[in-house]
Amino acid sequence: ADVGTSRQTTAAAVGQETPSIKESLRLLRREVLSLSPLGTLYIGMCLSVVLTATNFSLPYFQGRLVDAAILAHHEHKEGEPVDIVHALGIYILVIGIATLVGYTCEVLVGIFFAVF
């Protein structure tokens, strides 16, 4: 306890007091956030959210595609006619669009990190 008190006294004498949380946030806002325009920061945050959403949704739609393919295979095996484009097309389209959106967001987030 005496060591901690003496360190605080020494730090106060030298002018190196421990800042409060409020002071730390004020310093962060003034120094760090002033370097980047807020509009650009918000766009980068939105792109990151979309990138995360597409990356987490892709396995779900890939699983649904596999389920639809297995179901179509069983129907075909039983002799029923199967329209493969109708059975699998929507899942392939969704996976393609989500992959393209995710890739585009990944490139844009990389550009935002590099430039700003």
Side-chain angles (χ1 to χ4, degrees):
D2 291 332
V3 174
T5 306
S6 66
R7 283 186 187 162
Q8 290 174 350
T9 307
T10 305
V14 179
Q16 297 179 347
E17 296 180 23
T18 305
S20 67
I21 293 175
K22 188 175 183 179
E23 291 169 345
S24 295
L25 289 175
R26 187 178 304 125
L27 180 67
L28 178 71
R29 194 175 306 123
R30 188 179 72 230
E31 299 296 329
V32 176
L33 295 180
S34 67
L35 298 175
S36 175
L38 288 180
T40 305
L41 180 67
Y42 294 140
I43 291 171
M45 289 169 50
C46 290
L47 287 172
S48 293
V49 167
V50 172
L51 175 62
T52 302
T54 57
N55 283 339
F56 279 104
S57 68
L58 273 172
Y60 170 76
F61 289 112
Q62 290 169 344
R64 295 293 302 254
L65 174 65
V66 170
D67 291 343
I70 291 171
L71 182 65
H73 172 71
H74 287 301
E75 289 175 0
H76 177 70
K77 221 173 165 184
E78 293 173 0
E80 297 177 30
V82 176
D83 183 10
I84 200 72
V85 174
H86 184 312
L88 305 180
I90 189 69
Y91 297 113
I92 293 172
L93 182 67
V94 168
I95 290 169
I97 290 172
T99 303
L100 182 64
V101 168
Y103 179 72
T104 303
C105 287
E106 192 168 335
V107 169
L108 290 175
V109 166
I111 290 171
F112 273 96
F113 273 118
V115 173
F116 302 105

